[in-house]
Every structure is written in C-alpha cells, then in structure tokens.
C-alpha cells in the first residue's frame, strides 16, 4: 500500500448554513456520528463535517463533496473538496470519527462511494487543516449500524504505551455489491501514527503478523470501550439455525496487538428468564467504583417493544485458564512480501 504523505494543507472550509432565529442550529444532512474531545464537539452528517465548542457554537464546517483524483488506482486515490458551487462527483461518507487528543488529531475514515475505503487525519483544533490522507479501509465501508470503533491504549511496558484504533465490523454475508477489496476481519487493531511498525493505519504487529479476531457467525456489534487495561465488546450473534444470543468479550490491552487480541475471553449475557433469542438494543457503562457495572436494554423477542433493562457486573474474573470462545477466535496472518505497510 502506498502512503500519501504530503505537506500540511488547508481544505475547503466555509460557514455552516442553517442558523435559526431562536439561536438553534440545523445540520445539513442526516447525522451519522457524534464525538467529543476535551474542548470540542465533532459531528459528521451525510453532507458535512462540523466542529463546535462544548456550548455548541459553530467553529468550522467542511463539505464532504469533492472529486477523486486517480480513481482507477486504489493505492494513489486522493479526495479533494470543492466549493458549494464547484463541480463534484464523489461524497466522502464518514464511518469512523475519533479524536486522538494526545496527538492533537481527529481521525476520520469511511468511504468514497464505489471507490472504497478512505481516511483523513485532521488537526484536532482546526478541522479545515488536513495533516494526512490515504485510500485505506478502517472500519465499515457502508452502514455504521452493527459496527463500533474506538481508540485503545496498549501498555507496552512499565513506561511506554501505544494507541491503536480498534475496529469491530458487522460480519455480513458478502454480496455481488461488495466490489471493494477488504483486508479486514471482524476485530482488528490499526496504527495511529507513522512511527509505529508498518506506518499509520497498518494492521501489522512488530513480528510482521496481521493479528485479528475472526468469526464464522453473523455478528452485529452494539458497543465497545476500554476501562483501565481491559477492552469490552458487546455484540448480537446468530449462527446456523440457533437463536440469537448476546455476547460480551474481554481483551487485555497489554504488550502488543497480538497479545491483546490473543487474550480473548467471553461470556454469554442472558435475560432474567434465562431464555435464548434475546438481542441487545442499547448499552451503558456505569462509571466509578471498584466493580465494572454495566446496564443493557434487551429485546426479549427480537422486537422493539418487549424489552428488559438489566444490570451486570462485568469485571474480569482474572481466570488465566485456557479458554476457547464459541463464536470468536484469534488468528494471525503473515502479510505478503509487499504488504508490510498495509
């Protein structure tokens, strides 16, 4: 994969439209993602990317419409925004939006329609400045429903910590419409900067493996987060003719990508009647305390009306015995000779 390193450049920025008489704000296009950093709020819609203060005062907005240079070469495609009155033929749809506060950057990844994955690294304080861009898939290409992504801090040793992007992608059956090359598995860890082995967005580990977690089931992810050194992922799983089940998996973010993903452990979450066939609709962690308490809204029959709110203690049990998960499994892959940077 060729990396498109370049000079820091300004991209098209313009005042957002839609200010209302009462001081409210109307976004252009349907809201896709919202994320918050220490000082700003970032919102991606179908039409624009917005940067606001915490009291929701607009700072910058960027159109997501533009042109794609070198569209037939997946290794050197570049997306360029245009003015509102300029000619455009592509839309950059954002499916991953992550403030990397320690690096003063905003990671924005998604797809440019049929031309597959694309990522930009923006200035955290001024999203009108693009620091880096690359045609690469990080996270889902289309719908964000059933997929989650967040930053994970992996403690390399007593002094050093590395930050990676964890992507957990909905596992669906491939169709004829899936023409984009896809090098991702269900759960992956991507680099966040050029100094890490393999360079930015790479999947490889120090030993040149591409570690990831796979599944043979149909999986839709609902939530994921990190507390201390433990990473939590919640998903709805269906396999063969078996009823749906809700799965929680734990990962210990230590040493490396490989060791983190290899630490996979899991549990099946059941509703109060102990029955199967339930689905997780919503998730919320309860902060504070020595125990990790989590609440979830479960659908008892797969629909939106017959629901149950349950509270769980999801603290890791510290059991180091050999474990085999019924739905997910760790599998490293050696990259090809030309794929170390991918």
């Amino acid at each position: 994969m060729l990396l498109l390193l370049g000079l820091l450049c300004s991209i098209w920025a313009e005042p957002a439209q839609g200010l209302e008489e009462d001081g409210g704000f109307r976004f252009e296009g349907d809201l896709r993602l919202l994320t918050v950093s220490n000082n700003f709020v970032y919102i991606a819609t179908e039409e624009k990317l917005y940067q606001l203060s915490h009291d929701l005062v607009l700072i910058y907005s960027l159109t997501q419409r533009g042109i794609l240079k070198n569209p037939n070469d997946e290794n050197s495609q570049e997306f360029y925004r245009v003015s509102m009155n300029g000619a455009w033929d592509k839309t950059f749809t954002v499916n991953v939006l992550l403030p990397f506060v320690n690096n003063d950057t905003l990671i924005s990844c998604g797809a440019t329609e049929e031309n597959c994955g694309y990522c930009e690294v923006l200035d955290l304080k001024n999203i009108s400045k693009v620091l880096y861009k690359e045609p690469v898939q990080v996270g889902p290409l289309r719908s964000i429903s059933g997929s989650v992504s967040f930053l994970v801090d992996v403690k390399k040793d007593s002094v050093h910590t590395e930050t990676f992007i964890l992507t957990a992608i909905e596992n669906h059956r491939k169709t004829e419409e899936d023409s984009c090359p896809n090098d991702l598995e269900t759960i992956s860890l991507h680099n966040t900067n050029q100094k890490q082995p393999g360079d930015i967005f790479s999947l490889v580990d120090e030993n040149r493996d591409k570690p990831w977690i796979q599944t043979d089931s149909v999986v839709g992810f609902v939530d994921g987060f990190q507390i201390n050194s433990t990473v939590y992922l919640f998903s709805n799983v269906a396999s063969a003719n078996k009823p749906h089940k809700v799965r929680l998996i734990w990962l210990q973010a230590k040493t490396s990508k490989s060791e983190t993903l290899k630490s996979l452990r899991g549990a099946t979450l059941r509703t109060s009647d102990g029955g199967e066939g339930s689905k997780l609709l919503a998730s919320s962690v309860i902060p504070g305390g020595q125990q990790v308490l989590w609440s979830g809204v479960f659908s008892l029959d797969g629909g939106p009306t017959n629901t149950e709110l349950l509270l769980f203690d999801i603290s890791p049990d510290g059991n180091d015995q050999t474990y085999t998960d019924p739905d997910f499994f760790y599998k490293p892959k050696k990259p090809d000779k030309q794929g170390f940077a991918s």
Side-chain angles (χ1 to χ4, degrees):
M1 176 179 299
L2 300 178
L3 299 179
L4 305 178
L5 292 174
L7 296 175
L8 172 67
C9 59
S10 292
I11 53 181
W12 185 268
E14 58 187 330
Q17 305 298 313
L19 289 175
E20 306 205 356
E21 294 181 359
D22 61 359
F25 187 80
R26 184 178 67 252
F27 295 104
E28 293 186 27
D30 292 339
L31 190 149
R32 293 184 59 79
L33 291 170
L34 182 152
T35 188
V36 180
S37 71
N38 294 341
N39 299 308
F40 303 107
V41 177
Y42 306 93
I43 296 176
T45 72
E46 292 178 331
E47 303 291 338
K48 289 189 175 183
L49 181 64
Y50 297 91
Q51 179 181 351
L52 301 94
S53 63
H54 280 187
D55 54 0
L56 303 184
V57 173
L58 177 67
I59 299 174
Y60 293 103
S61 71
L62 305 176
T63 178
Q64 297 294 70
R65 295 178 177 180
I67 58 175
L68 198 68
K69 293 190 176 182
N70 306 317
N72 297 321
D73 185 351
E74 64 183 54
N75 290 322
S76 61
Q77 296 170 2
E78 291 190 73
F79 178 76
Y80 288 88
R81 288 173 173 82
V82 298
S83 67
M84 287 298 294
N85 298 322
W88 61 278
D89 59 5
K90 292 293 180 288
T91 301
F92 179 28
T93 301
V94 177
N95 299 325
V96 172
L97 192 63
L98 301 173
F100 187 6
V101 176
N102 291 340
N103 200 40
D104 287 326
T105 56
L106 178 70
I107 298 170
S108 173
C109 293
T112 53
E113 299 170 9
E114 74 276 15
N115 292 291
C116 312
Y118 201 81
C119 284
E120 292 180 335
V121 180
L122 309 175
D123 188 317
L124 190 69
K125 299 175 183 177
N126 182 352
I127 63 170
S128 70
K129 296 179 180 179
V130 61
L131 310 177
Y132 179 84
K133 51 187 174 181
E134 181 181 349
V136 60
Q137 182 182 352
V138 176
L141 290 175
R142 290 179 294 278
S143 172
I144 56 177
S145 175
S147 300
V148 299
S149 57
F150 53 97
L151 296 179
V152 170
D153 291 328
V154 174
K155 195 171 183 61
K156 309 288 288 185
D157 51 44
S158 59
V159 178
H160 301 95
T161 298
E162 293 281 5
T163 301
F164 302 113
I165 304 168
L166 184 147
T167 58
I169 299 176
E170 180 180 16
N171 182 25
H172 61 85
R173 303 305 181 194
K174 187 175 178 64
T175 68
E176 294 182 356
E177 298 178 355
D178 296 332
S179 58
C180 299
N182 185 351
D183 195 30
L184 299 187
E185 292 294 340
T186 307
I187 301 173
S188 306
L189 288 170
H190 300 257
N191 288 351
T192 55
N193 62 73
Q194 284 94 343
K195 296 180 180 180
Q196 294 167 325
D199 226 321
I200 189 170
F201 300 129
S202 173
L203 293 166
V204 301
D205 207 346
E206 291 91 337
N207 55 9
R208 298 177 64 95
D209 283 346
K210 287 184 178 179
W212 44 42
I213 293 173
Q214 297 173 299
T215 181
D216 293 327
S217 304
V218 178
V219 175
F221 291 91
V222 179
D223 198 6
F225 47 83
Q226 180 178 9
I227 297 179
N228 299 322
S229 62
T230 304
V231 176
Y232 300 82
L233 282 166
F234 298 85
S235 63
N236 293 308
V237 176
S239 56
N241 296 320
K242 298 178 181 178
H244 283 83
K245 54 185 174 181
V246 179
R247 296 299 318 283
L248 161 64
I249 61 175
W250 296 275
L251 303 172
Q252 290 302 310
K254 295 181 179 180
T255 309
S256 66
K257 292 180 184 177
S258 298
E259 292 303 314
T260 297
L261 296 177
K262 193 184 299 183
S263 68
L264 167 69
R265 302 184 68 84
T268 298
L269 304 181
R270 301 186 184 277
T271 52
S272 59
D273 60 6
E276 294 184 322
S278 61
K279 293 183 68 174
L280 180 62
L281 302 179
S283 160
S284 179
V285 67
I286 301 173
Q290 295 182 341
Q291 296 174 305
V292 181
L293 299 180
W294 170 88
S295 62
V297 177
F298 292 76
S299 167
L300 301 183
D301 55 6
T305 55
N306 187 14
T307 61
E308 186 173 61
L309 174 64
L310 296 175
L311 179 67
F312 289 83
D313 179 357
I314 59 170
S315 306
D317 58 11
N319 192 333
D320 294 329
Q321 295 180 355
T322 301
Y323 173 79
T324 301
D325 194 90
D327 300 297
F328 301 94
F329 56 95
Y330 168 81
K331 186 176 182 180
K333 176 184 176 182
K334 288 288 185 183
D336 55 42
K337 293 181 180 180
Q338 298 177 343
F340 181 68
S342 63

